């Protein structure tokens, strides 16, 4: 109130001065003009030009100060970043003050510290709570450390307590020594704000390998083979008398060098020891033999290339061998000829079917005509006059049964599969038999071939034959089974599948038809398959019709079926109805 009254009085006084000033100035001016020589009294009576009124002076009327910090440690400086001083000026404005002065810049006592804030003759005060450090204590979180190892600061806990009952973890402490120097108890001194405390860390010797031992626990090995690391038992004794089995050792040499005793050097750092193992020669323990050729006419020599011999060695490895001998290389009787195969000290037997010399007579031939769509195939099998042709069955097979076998050897979709079987096993005595087949309409002679398969999964052989004057293709049949008559013209693979949409949204219950375009357009096999990654979300039919069942997402895969591996994908999102 006194401040407002003083301001009112100063304003009244300034108004009186403003009113009196022009009159006084006029009197002084007139007197000056009269006093000047050569100036008339009338001129002295002229009215003077008034001067502008000066603005009132702007000053700080009051100060306000706020300290946002917490309790400060006695002897520490006040954090001026946490002190905000605002000034209210005589013109009513309010702004932040920076050039203020404090009565104290350091906390001097525990409890309340009243600090005077002054600026431009105006002052206010703040109260900052002070606290004293009561004590500190520390400990190390880890256990033992090796002599020479440094303490980790993250493992040191230092706690300070204060006069106000508070406490906190501190990190700006002093630790003159942080290295473990001796075996046993090592005492470390921690200092903070004039207080000291200690903690102890146990030191242990540097662990160094002193001796190494090794022995081999595996079997005898073939010369040239490498021993397994896991078959070496390697133990290290350290200078603290601890023992440890290790796996990070070096072995030299890497393979067995000779028959009999072999010494291997086992090394770890600068330590080396020996381990012994026995080397043995690689020998054949047993063999298996299989005859893969056709029945032979009596008196014919068996071709060794038609015999597959697999040897099992004393290290349990297996390998195909070519160095073997036969007890009798010539087929000498009709029916099964048992031939012994010799390889080193091992033996095995094979059976080779012996047959009479073939009599080619198409007057007594088994004849059949097979059709597959527009393709027609005539088959004639010449029979020995002693054989019963009624015991021979010829039938057409579905392409699907032999499709995979064909795809493995030839790139074509133009083929017919024929199955020839003997109802009487004795007919095998009349093999081989001569077969003639017609060339189906549309097949090219230059690409014509006949293949034989026993399991319909792999092709055993391509039959050697020739075209006859009547245009038929003649070949020898050495075994009953499945024969494939094929046009091996080059097959054009699918290079790209183009989809009209790559992402589709459907409501539950709705359908969408995928419309793929195959490139090139003349691809031989344009069959596609459709699958859904999550059938519970949506299913897809064989012709690409997608039906949504429940909310979610699924991927529809469109894949070419010509073996090209070309695929495309549709991301389907199913929403609520």
């Amino acid at each position: 109130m006194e401040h407002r009254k003083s301001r009112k009085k100063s304003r009244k006084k300034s108004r009186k001065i403003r009113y009196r000033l022009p009159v006084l100035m006029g009197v002084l001016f007139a007197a000056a003009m009269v006093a000047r020589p050569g100036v008339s009294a009338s001129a002295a009576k002229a009215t003077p030009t008034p001067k502008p009124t000066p603005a009132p002076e702007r000053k700080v009327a009051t100060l306000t100060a706020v300290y946002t910090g917490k309790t400060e440690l006695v002897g520490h400086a006040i954090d001026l970043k946490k002190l905000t001083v605002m000034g209210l000026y005589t013109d009513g404005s309010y702004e932040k003050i920076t050039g203020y002065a404090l009565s104290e810049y350091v906390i001097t006592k525990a409890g309340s510290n009243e600090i005077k804030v002054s600026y431009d003759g105006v002052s206010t005060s703040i109260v900052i709570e002070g606290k004293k450090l009561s004590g500190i204590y520390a400990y190390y979180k880890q256990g033992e450390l090796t002599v020479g190892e440094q303490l980790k600061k993250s493992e040191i806990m230092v706690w300070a307590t204060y006069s106000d009952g508070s406490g906190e973890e501190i990190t700006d402490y002093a630790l003159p020594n942080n290295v473990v120097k001796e075996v046993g108890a090592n005492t470390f001194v921690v200092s903070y704000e004039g207080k000291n405390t200690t903690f102890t860390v146990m030191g242990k010797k540097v662990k160094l390998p002193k001796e190494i031992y090794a022995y081999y626990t595996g079997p005898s090995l073939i010369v040239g083979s490498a021993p397994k690391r896991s078959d070496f038992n390697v133990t290290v004794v350290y200078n603290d008398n601890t023992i440890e089995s290790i796996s990070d050792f070096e072995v030299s040499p890497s393979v067995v060098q000779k028959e009999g005793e072999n010494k291997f050097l086992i090394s770890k750092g600068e330590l080396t020891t020996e381990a012994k193992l026995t080397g043995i020669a690689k020998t054949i323990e047993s063999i298996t033999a299989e005859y893969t050729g056709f029945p032979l006419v009596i008196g014919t020599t068996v071709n060794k290339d038609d015999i597959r011999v697999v040897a099992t060695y004393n290290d349990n490895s297996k390998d195909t061998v070519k160095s073997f001998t036969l007890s009798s290389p010539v087929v000498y009787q009709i029916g099964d000829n048992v031939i012994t195969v010799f390889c080193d000290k091992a033996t095995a037997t094979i059976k080779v079917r012996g047959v009479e010399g073939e009599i080619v007579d198409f007057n007594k031939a088994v004849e059949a005509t097979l059709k597959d769509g527009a393709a027609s195939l005539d088959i004639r099998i010449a029979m020995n006059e002693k054989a019963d042709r009624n015991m021979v069955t010829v039938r057409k097979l579905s392409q699907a049964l032999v499709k995979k076998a064909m795809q493995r050897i030839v790139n074509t979709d133009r083929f017919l599969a024929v199955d020839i079987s003997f109802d009487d096993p004795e007919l095998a005595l009349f093999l081989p038999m001569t077969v003639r087949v017609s060339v189906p309409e549309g097949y090219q002679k230059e690409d014509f071939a006949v293949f034989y398969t026993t399991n319909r999964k792999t092709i055993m052989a391509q039959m050697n034959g020739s075209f006859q004057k009547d245009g038929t293709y003649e070949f020898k049949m050495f075994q009953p089974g499945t024969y494939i008559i094929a046009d091996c013209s080059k097959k054009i693979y699918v290079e790209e599948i183009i989809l009209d949409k790559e992402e589709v949204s459907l409501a539950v219950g709705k359908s969408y038809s995928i419309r793929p375009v195959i490139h090139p357009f003349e691809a031989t096999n344009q069959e596609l398959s459709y699958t859904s990654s999550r059938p519970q979300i949506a299913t897809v039919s064989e012709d690409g019709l997608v039906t949504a069942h429940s909310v979610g997402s699924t991927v529809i895969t469109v894949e070419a079926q010509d073996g090209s591996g070309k695929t495309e994908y549709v991301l389907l999102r199913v929403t609520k109805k």
Side-chain angles (χ1 to χ4, degrees):
M1 289 295 291
E2 291 179 359
H3 183 66
R4 288 198 292 270
K5 287 178 181 180
S6 64
R7 283 196 292 178
K8 288 180 181 180
K9 289 180 181 179
S10 63
R11 285 198 292 268
K12 288 179 182 180
K13 187 176 181 180
S14 64
R15 282 199 295 269
K16 289 179 182 180
I17 293 173
R18 287 200 296 270
Y19 294 149
R20 294 173 181 175
L21 186 59
V23 178
L24 180 59
M25 291 298 292
V27 174
L28 294 175
F29 179 75
M33 293 299 291
V34 172
R36 289 176 61 189
V39 180
S40 64
S42 60
K45 292 180 180 179
T47 305
T49 303
K51 293 183 178 180
T53 304
E57 186 179 4
R58 181 174 178 267
K59 291 186 176 182
V60 175
T62 58
L63 290 179
T64 303
V66 177
Y67 186 71
T68 57
K70 297 181 180 180
T71 306
E72 302 292 347
L73 195 60
V74 173
H76 280 213
I78 297 171
D79 190 350
L80 298 181
K81 293 180 180 179
K82 299 175 183 178
L83 177 59
T84 302
V85 181
M86 301 296 294
L88 177 63
Y89 286 81
T90 54
D91 62 355
S93 60
Y94 192 64
E95 64 182 51
K96 188 175 181 180
I97 302 297
T98 57
Y100 56 81
L102 302 181
S103 59
E104 296 287 348
Y105 285 88
V106 177
I107 301 300
T108 59
K109 63 179 181 178
S112 298
N113 290 256
E114 185 173 357
I115 310 296
K116 185 178 180 180
V117 183
S118 303
Y119 177 76
D120 199 16
V122 182
S123 63
T124 185
S125 63
I126 58 173
V127 175
I128 301 177
E129 293 297 322
K131 63 181 178 182
K132 288 184 177 181
L133 179 64
S134 300
I136 61 172
Y137 70 93
Y139 67 92
Y140 196 68
K141 299 177 185 178
Q142 283 190 356
E144 291 183 330
L145 294 180
T146 304
V147 173
E149 190 174 356
Q150 289 187 346
L151 304 181
K152 296 179 181 179
K153 190 166 183 178
S154 59
E155 299 297 319
I156 302 173
M157 167 64 77
V158 181
W159 190 263
T161 57
Y162 300 99
S163 58
D164 61 354
S166 63
E168 63 179 341
E169 182 181 356
I170 56 174
T171 57
D172 54 339
Y173 53 82
L175 182 65
N177 172 43
N178 66 342
V179 178
V180 175
K181 295 183 177 180
E182 57 186 24
V183 177
N186 289 254
T187 301
F188 294 90
V189 178
V190 176
S191 301
Y192 177 71
E193 296 292 337
K195 299 287 186 180
N196 295 329
T197 189
T198 60
F199 64 88
T200 300
V201 176
M202 299 303 293
K204 59 183 179 181
K205 288 183 179 179
V206 178
K207 190 174 183 177
L208 296 173
K210 182 174 64 174
E211 296 176 297
I212 185 171
Y213 300 94
Y215 59 92
Y216 180 72
T217 61
S220 299
L221 296 180
I222 305 298
V223 174
S225 60
K228 296 179 181 179
R229 292 179 63 85
S230 57
D231 286 336
F232 287 101
N233 190 320
V234 182
T235 303
V236 172
V237 180
Y238 294 92
N239 58 349
D240 60 356
N241 293 323
T242 59
I243 300 175
E244 179 184 17
S245 294
I246 62 171
S247 58
D248 56 336
F249 52 84
E250 300 295 328
V251 179
S252 180
S254 58
V255 298
V256 177
Q257 302 291 312
K258 61 182 181 179
E259 294 183 39
E261 184 178 273
N262 286 254
K263 294 181 180 180
F264 284 81
L265 296 180
I266 310 299
S267 303
K268 169 67 174 177
E270 297 180 354
L271 299 179
T272 301
T273 189
E274 286 185 356
K276 298 177 182 179
L277 64 88
T278 302
I280 57 177
K282 187 173 184 177
T283 58
I284 295 175
E285 300 248 324
S286 62
I287 62 170
T288 59
E290 177 187 9
Y291 179 68
T292 59
F294 295 108
L296 299 178
V297 175
I298 296 172
T300 304
T301 300
V302 177
N303 187 348
K304 291 181 69 174
D305 291 338
D306 290 333
I307 302 175
R308 182 173 182 268
V309 179
V310 177
T312 301
Y313 294 89
N314 52 348
D315 61 353
N316 291 322
S317 64
K318 295 180 183 292
D319 196 9
T320 301
V321 295
K322 296 293 184 181
S323 57
F324 57 86
T325 58
L326 303 177
S327 59
S328 175
V330 178
V331 174
Y332 60 88
Q333 66 180 15
I334 296 175
D336 288 337
N337 290 255
V338 179
I339 299 174
T340 303
V341 180
F342 300 94
C343 187
D344 286 348
K345 296 180 181 180
T347 61
T349 58
I350 58 172
K351 291 182 180 180
V352 180
R353 176 62 67 94
V355 296
E356 292 183 352
E358 181 187 11
I359 301 175
V360 179
D361 184 4
F362 281 98
N363 292 321
K364 286 190 63 177
V366 174
E367 299 183 353
T369 299
L370 306 176
K371 291 186 178 182
D372 187 2
S376 177
L377 178 69
D378 294 326
I379 299 177
R380 300 176 67 202
I381 304 173
M383 300 292 294
N384 188 296
E385 61 180 8
K386 298 179 182 179
D388 185 356
R389 62 181 181 177
N390 294 320
M391 293 289 103
V392 179
T393 300
V394 180
R395 63 189 181 94
K396 179 178 73 69
L397 294 180
S398 169
Q399 278 193 347
L401 293 176
V402 296
K403 187 174 183 179
K404 288 185 178 180
M406 286 298 294
Q407 286 178 342
R408 290 178 180 177
I409 64 162
V410 66
N411 184 12
T412 183
D413 280 333
R414 295 159 64 99
F415 59 88
L416 291 168
V418 178
D419 189 66
I420 301 175
S421 59
F422 292 165
D423 298 332
D424 182 2
E426 293 297 322
L427 286 178
L429 298 175
F430 301 104
L431 291 170
M433 298 178 182
T434 301
V435 181
R436 288 179 181 174
V437 296
S438 62
V439 179
E441 185 177 353
Y443 281 37
Q444 304 298 319
K445 279 189 175 182
E446 58 270 20
D447 296 314
F448 190 83
V450 178
F451 300 98
Y452 170 71
T453 174
T454 56
N455 56 13
R456 301 173 184 171
K457 295 179 181 178
T458 56
I459 300 299
M460 292 294 295
Q462 180 176 345
M463 311 307 297
N464 294 323
S466 60
F467 285 100
Q468 304 301 303
K469 292 181 180 180
D470 61 357
T472 60
Y473 185 80
E474 182 178 292
F475 64 91
K476 297 293 185 183
M477 182 179 71
F478 293 90
Q479 289 278 30
T482 300
Y483 290 84
I484 303 171
I485 291 82
D487 178 4
C488 301
S489 301
K490 184 178 179 181
K491 178 180 177 182
I492 301 175
Y493 280 104
V494 174
E495 296 179 4
E496 186 180 11
I497 302 172
I498 303 171
L499 302 178
D500 58 340
K501 293 182 180 180
E502 294 182 354
E503 293 189 16
V504 176
S505 293
L506 285 181
V508 173
K510 297 294 183 179
S511 297
Y512 165 73
S513 183
I514 300 175
R515 297 181 178 86
V517 176
I518 293 175
H519 178 77
F521 300 116
E522 63 272 18
T524 305
N525 183 356
Q526 300 197 9
E527 183 181 352
L528 300 173
S529 68
Y530 302 87
T531 55
S532 172
S533 64
R534 301 175 71 190
Q536 68 273 24
I537 302 297
T539 54
V540 58
S541 66
E542 293 181 355
D543 56 357
L545 180 64
V546 181
T547 303
H549 299 299
S550 59
V551 175
S553 297
T554 184
V555 175
I556 307 299
T557 302
V558 184
E559 183 177 5
Q561 296 299 293
D562 64 345
S564 64
K566 298 298 181 182
T567 56
E568 280 298 335
Y569 306 94
V570 177
L571 175 60
L572 178 68
R573 294 185 176 90
V574 180
T575 60
K576 293 182 180 179
K577 291 185 179 180

